[in-house]
Amino acid sequence: MSPKNSNYFIGRVYDPKTKGPTSEDVLLDPANLTTHCVVTGMTGSGKTGLCIGLLEEAALQKTPAIIIDPKGDLTNLVLHFPNQQPSDFEPWIDPEAATREGKTVAQLAEETAARWKKGLADWGMGKEQLQALADAADYTIYSPGSTSGIPVNILSSFEAPDIPFLENAEVLRERISTTVTAILGLIGLNNIDPLRSREHILLCSIIEEAWIN
């Protein structure tokens, strides 16, 4: 996390002799990420951690991001905890994990907070840097099929707009066509011709009739 530099802070150079990081920073020019980027590695090698670091650096520089995350790992981006208090961590502690270690949830939360605070301090990061990250962007989690975040309801696309249909027929028919194309794509019907596809024509006709009435 390096707000003073326009480059993304990735970490520090690793010294195989000491088996630890050196004081030399590893920086990435964000201009190198204007097309595509692939992160590969073995399980547990740090791919997710690297991506989280990149996204945090992007947030600090006011670069917007849309993140599609089927596993849910990257939702940790919204957990900043500038004060590093045990009470911040306690809601996120797995009760079963605490039981396996023979501890209460409060005890494990206290240990987790202390471990994170020390780990961040070792990298020169504290409350100021974490607060800057929290304030750098508006974070929103959309969760299709769940109320854990902001639900995404595809059925809302079928609701009739609150404008007269006949006076806005051209615009609304285009909206209907786009919606139907997206719905058919979800069930595997891709590259269809809206003017020839029976499925497309049928669904468009049904929605148009409903909107007119």
Side-chain angles (χ1 to χ4, degrees):
M1 198 181 300
S2 181
K4 297 179 181 180
N5 198 306
S6 60
N7 290 324
Y8 289 2
F9 174 70
I10 305 301
R12 296 197 180 114
V13 174
Y14 180 80
D15 185 351
K17 294 182 179 178
T18 61
K19 297 184 179 180
T22 66
S23 59
E24 182 181 354
D25 292 343
V26 177
L27 303 175
L28 175 66
D29 186 345
N32 293 328
L33 300 175
T34 54
T35 52
H36 300 88
C37 173
V38 177
V39 180
T40 63
M42 296 176 60
T43 300
S45 61
K47 299 184 297 297
T48 300
L50 173 60
C51 290
I52 288 177
L54 287 171
L55 290 166
E56 288 177 342
E57 291 295 306
L60 286 168
Q61 297 193 33
K62 308 298 183 182
T63 302
I66 298 175
I67 306 162
I68 301 174
D69 178 26
K71 289 181 62 180
D73 293 338
L74 296 181
T75 51
N76 290 338
L77 280 164
V78 302
L79 304 178
H80 304 118
F81 307 148
N83 295 317
Q84 298 287 288
Q85 295 297 312
S87 57
D88 296 329
F89 290 84
E90 190 165 341
W92 310 99
I93 296 295
D94 182 356
E96 294 184 2
T99 300
R100 287 194 299 269
E101 295 185 26
K103 303 170 183 175
T104 66
V105 170
Q107 287 174 329
L108 189 54
E110 185 174 357
E111 292 179 6
T112 302
R115 185 169 63 252
W116 276 87
K117 188 172 184 178
K118 180 183 183 304
L120 290 167
D122 290 344
W123 287 86
M125 287 182 271
K127 180 177 180 179
E128 182 181 347
Q129 289 77 16
L130 293 175
Q131 190 63 58
L133 178 59
D135 297 339
D138 293 324
Y139 301 86
T140 304
I141 297 177
Y142 295 92
S143 53
S146 170
T147 57
S148 298
I150 297 178
V152 177
N153 184 2
I154 196 171
L155 295 179
S156 63
S157 299
F158 297 115
E159 295 178 358
D162 191 23
I163 57 174
F165 189 94
L166 296 179
E167 288 85 340
N168 302 275
E170 184 176 350
V171 173
L172 294 178
R173 285 189 176 121
E174 179 64 27
R175 176 174 168 181
I176 290 172
S177 178
T178 301
T179 299
V180 170
T181 299
I183 296 299
L184 293 177
L186 290 174
I187 62 174
L189 296 179
N190 299 307
N191 300 319
I192 58 176
D193 184 349
L195 300 178
R196 295 177 179 271
S197 167
R198 292 177 297 178
E199 296 85 357
H200 197 284
I201 294 172
L202 174 62
L203 290 177
C204 284
S205 299
I206 292 173
I207 296 175
E208 181 173 331
E209 183 67 21
W211 285 12
I212 291 176
N213 296 326

